[in-house]
Every structure is written in structure tokens, then in C-alpha cells.
Amino acid sequence: MSKFIRLDQVKTITGLSRSSIYQFIKDGKFPSQVKLGARSVAWVASEIEEWMSSCIAKRGNP
């Protein structure tokens, strides 16, 4: 079951700043947000977890 998380949660989980998150999205290096309404976005929790796992896996590979 997928779960949406808001920006504050994404920042807490990843340790990234708001600007870093949006820059990584722009660069294609971070999962994109899902538009929930006119002024509301969220991220899919499992996609954030997969991104973090990928970062961990890459740390040993230069």
C-alpha cells in the first residue's frame, strides 16, 4: 500500500533541504512530487525509500 508524505517529512527522512530536494528533482536525481490539489503536493513514501536505498548502494561504487 502506497503512502503519501509531505515535504517536511521528506526533509526529515532524507536530511535534505527544500532547495536541495527541488534541485535534485530538476536534475532528475530525486523522485518527483505528486500533485494532490491546486496548492498541495506530496511524495510517495516507497519512492523516497527506494531513492535512499539506491544512494546507500552507490556509496561503495565510485
Side-chain angles (χ1 to χ4, degrees):
M1 178 179 198
S2 293
K3 176 175 144 180
F4 288 128
I5 55 175
R6 303 301 297 254
L7 180 60
D8 284 341
Q9 291 174 289
V10 175
K11 288 170 36 182
T12 299
I13 291 167
T14 63
L16 296 171
S17 67
R18 178 189 184 281
S19 59
S20 292
I21 291 168
Y22 283 104
Q23 185 62 51
F24 285 171
I25 291 169
K26 181 180 175 186
D27 295 342
K29 298 179 180 179
F30 196 80
S32 295
Q33 67 273 38
V34 176
K35 191 169 179 115
L36 301 177
R39 297 180 52 154
S40 179
V41 298
W43 282 259
V44 179
S46 61
E47 292 178 359
I48 301 302
E49 291 170 12
E50 288 173 22
W51 176 83
M52 291 174 62
S53 294
S54 173
C55 290
I56 292 167
K58 289 178 189 174
R59 73 178 171 186
N61 301 326

